[in-house]
């Protein structure tokens, strides 16, 4: 395993005292309660009120401002004090925001993660054990009977869809501007396949950035229909087409490009599949490639992160894939994807790191 320098000390050396380690162990044991109490401190506006106050707030002032019961406020404040979200002045009994509370309230990534974990994952993770043993997303059953979450995306409850797409788009969107330059400024791209194009957001960025490119989105038929509805009023939509296909089906035939294919784009896509499935997908991608075609694989590789909290978030996201999404994929490291790429008969030409929220783009030929 090769780790970026920012991760080596954290993951190879003991850094906690015995007392710190004991506290962390209890923090893990009470993790579900920690999560829900922290989420409610945001939802009920308590952290906002404390942050916006000049000298902090007393319990009684919070009760008056939120109209919650004295009991509810007391429980949440005491829990938040022990979690580390707030601090208390013993002389005035006023509560103020801690650094951790500030990040919980103001860091966009943290807010996206909270919504994603509450709306999409929380109930399903109760079945993580069965998912890991069976290799199936057993936690998906409370949403519907689909084999993976992707078949059911278009029919999930509105709030669940909002949190799912919010999570998905937050991480990919932050890298789009840099990715567009890598694809279109470094190579002469006029025909591009967008694999697993979802709502067509990336395809719209492409036709906006490059006035000559034509984009074909390959995705499940229901996703292609959702994409068509989403892009139909946008400029450049006439240069975006959809091709309904089950990418997982080894018998499925990828459309042969009429006038050659310059680029194949896979953004946060291969992490949705097992390593065996990735090899199969890349082998079929190879059948529509020429010597000039490049595959651009954009992923948040957990071993290539500049900051350790990002690696933490990514390895936890693997458990979403286990229990909710499909039961057999994860957030991969470089070694895993390089193995798949080589097994498919492709070669890594270059890796661009540190794009947006910790993305890398692997360029293959």
């Amino acid at each position: 395993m090769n780790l970026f320098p920012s991760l080596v000390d954290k993951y190879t050396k003991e850094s906690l005292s015995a007392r710190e380690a004991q506290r962390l162990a209890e923090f893990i044991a009470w993790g579900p309660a920690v999560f829900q109490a922290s989420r409610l401190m945001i939802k009920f506006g308590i952290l906002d009120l404390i942050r916006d106050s000049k000298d902090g707030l007393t319990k009684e002032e919070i009760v008056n401002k939120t109209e919650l019961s004295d009991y509810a406020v007391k429980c949440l404040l005491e829990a938040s004090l022990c979690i580390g979200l707030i601090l208390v002045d013993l002389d005035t009994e006023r509560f103020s925001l801690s650094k951790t509370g500030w990040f919980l309230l103001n860091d966009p990534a943290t807010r996206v993660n909270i919504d994603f974990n509450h709306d999409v994952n929380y109930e399903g993770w109760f079945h993580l054990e069965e998912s890991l043993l069976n290799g199936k997303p057993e936690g998906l059953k409370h949403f519907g009977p689909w084999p993976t979450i992707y078949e059911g995306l278009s029919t999930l409850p509105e709030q669940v869809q909002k949190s799912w797409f919010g999570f998905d788009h937050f991480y990919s969107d932050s890298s789009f501007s840099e990715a567009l330059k890598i694809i279109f400024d470094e190579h002469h791209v006029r025909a591009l396949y967008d694999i697993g194009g979802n709502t067509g957001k990336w395809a719209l960025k492409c036709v906006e950035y490059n006035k000559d490119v034509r984009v074909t989105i390959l995705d499940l038929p229901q996703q292609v229909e959702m994409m068509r509805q989403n892009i139909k009023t946008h400029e450049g939509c006439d240069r975006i087409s959809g091709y309904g296909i089950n990418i997982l089906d080894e018998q499925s035939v990828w459309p042969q490009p009429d006038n050659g294919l310059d680029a194949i784009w896979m953004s946060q896509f291969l992490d949705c599949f097992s390593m065996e499935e990735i090899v199969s997908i890349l082998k079929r991608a190879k059948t529509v490639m020429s010597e000039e075609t490049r595959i651009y694989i954009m992923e948040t590789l957990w071993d290539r992160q500049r900051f350790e909290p990002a690696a933490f978030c990514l390895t936890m996201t693997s458990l979403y894939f286990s229990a909710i999404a499909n039961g057999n994929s994860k957030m991969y490291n470089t070694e895993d994807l390089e193995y798949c790429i080589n097994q498919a008969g492709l070669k890594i030409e270059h890796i661009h790191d540190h794009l947006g929220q910790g993305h890398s783009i692997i360029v293959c030929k």
Side-chain angles (χ1 to χ4, degrees):
M1 181 184 295
N2 295 313
L3 299 175
F4 266 29
S6 57
L7 308 181
V8 171
D9 284 347
K10 185 70 175 180
Y11 298 153
T12 62
K13 299 176 183 178
E14 180 62 74
S15 59
L16 301 178
S17 67
R19 286 295 184 197
E20 290 170 334
Q22 182 186 37
R23 188 185 194 282
L24 180 57
E26 290 291 1
F27 205 85
I28 293 168
W30 289 97
V34 169
F35 175 80
Q36 291 297 353
S38 302
R39 183 184 71 85
L40 292 176
M41 287 288 284
I42 297 173
K43 181 175 182 178
F44 292 156
I46 299 175
L47 290 184
D48 278 306
L49 288 170
I50 294 175
R51 177 194 59 190
D52 297 339
S53 64
K54 182 180 179 181
D55 300 311
L57 294 174
T58 65
K59 173 176 66 70
E60 291 73 22
E61 287 171 333
I62 293 171
V63 169
N64 291 333
K65 289 177 181 293
T66 62
E67 297 185 353
L68 293 169
S69 70
D70 182 86
Y71 168 79
V73 170
K74 184 183 293 184
C75 284
L76 289 174
L77 288 177
E78 290 174 356
S80 297
L81 191 63
C82 294
I83 291 168
L85 303 182
I86 57 176
L87 303 169
V88 64
D89 185 312
L90 294 179
D91 293 327
T92 64
E93 295 194 4
R94 289 183 173 276
F95 295 93
S96 60
L97 206 62
S98 70
K99 291 179 181 178
T100 300
W102 189 93
F103 276 105
L104 188 74
L105 195 56
N106 296 290
D107 179 42
T110 303
R111 295 296 294 271
V112 165
N113 290 340
I114 287 174
D115 291 342
F116 180 63
N117 283 323
H118 179 67
D119 295 325
V120 180
N121 300 328
Y122 198 81
E123 292 182 77
W125 267 333
F126 188 81
H127 302 283
L128 177 61
E129 180 179 350
E130 302 125 86
S131 301
L132 291 171
L133 292 174
N134 300 337
K136 296 179 180 179
E138 304 292 359
L140 181 60
K141 291 177 180 176
H142 75 280
F143 284 134
W146 316 289
T148 73
I149 199 170
Y150 310 107
E151 287 89 343
L153 269 181
S154 60
T155 56
L156 287 173
E158 183 178 354
Q159 182 58 42
V160 178
Q161 282 193 41
K162 181 180 178 182
S163 294
W164 192 94
F165 282 111
F167 178 84
D168 185 68
H169 289 165
F170 176 82
Y171 288 98
S172 60
D173 289 3
S174 66
S175 309
F176 277 179
S177 60
E178 296 165 284
L180 288 166
K181 293 176 183 177
I182 290 171
I183 293 177
F184 292 106
D185 294 359
E186 295 184 10
H187 300 280
H188 188 71
V189 174
R190 293 295 178 268
L192 180 145
Y193 280 2
D194 180 4
I195 314 302
N198 264 334
T199 60
K201 199 167 187 178
W202 164 255
L204 287 170
K205 293 286 186 182
C206 288
V207 297
E208 177 185 349
Y209 190 87
N210 185 302
K211 302 304 179 184
D212 298 319
V213 69
R214 292 188 171 275
V215 180
T216 303
I217 292 177
L218 279 64
D219 210 331
L220 293 167
Q222 58 267 42
Q223 290 299 113
V224 169
E225 183 56 33
M226 183 189 296
M227 174 275 295
R228 287 178 176 142
Q229 294 301 315
N230 188 57
I231 71 168
K232 62 184 180 182
T233 60
H234 292 268
E235 183 178 353
C237 66
D238 58 313
R239 289 184 282 126
I240 300 173
S241 60
Y243 187 88
I245 185 174
N246 181 354
I247 299 293
L248 266 185
D249 183 1
E250 294 190 2
Q251 304 306 314
S252 63
V253 178
W254 289 34
Q256 290 292 330
D258 295 330
N259 299 305
L261 182 64
D262 302 306
I264 299 174
W265 173 250
M266 299 180 179
S267 173
Q268 294 182 179
F269 175 72
L270 293 182
D271 55 48
C272 300
F273 305 99
S274 69
M275 291 179 67
E276 293 80 7
E277 290 167 339
I278 291 172
V279 173
S280 173
I281 291 168
L282 291 176
K283 282 182 176 179
R284 279 175 280 135
K286 187 182 176 186
T287 64
V288 298
M289 295 174 68
S290 68
E291 289 294 326
E292 288 71 38
T293 309
R294 296 294 183 269
I295 299 180
Y296 298 86
I297 300 170
M298 188 164 83
E299 290 287 347
T300 42
L301 302 168
W302 74 261
D303 61 322
R304 303 181 77 88
Q305 298 303 306
R306 279 184 295 181
F307 305 109
E308 191 277 332
F312 172 80
C313 292
L314 292 172
T315 55
M316 295 302 106
T317 302
S318 290
L319 304 181
Y320 146 75
F321 284 110
S322 300
I324 312 294
N326 52 46
N328 62 5
S329 75
K330 65 189 295 292
M331 303 306 293
Y332 291 102
N333 61 20
T334 312
E335 183 180 352
D336 288 339
L337 282 189
E338 184 173 14
Y339 171 83
C340 295
I341 290 164
N342 292 338
Q343 287 294 110
L346 300 168
K347 180 181 178 181
I348 294 177
E349 188 173 54
H350 187 73
I351 301 179
H352 301 267
D353 288 315
H354 308 319
L355 311 177
Q357 291 282 330
H359 279 87
S360 298
I361 291 181
I362 304 175
V363 185
C364 304
K365 65 178 182 178

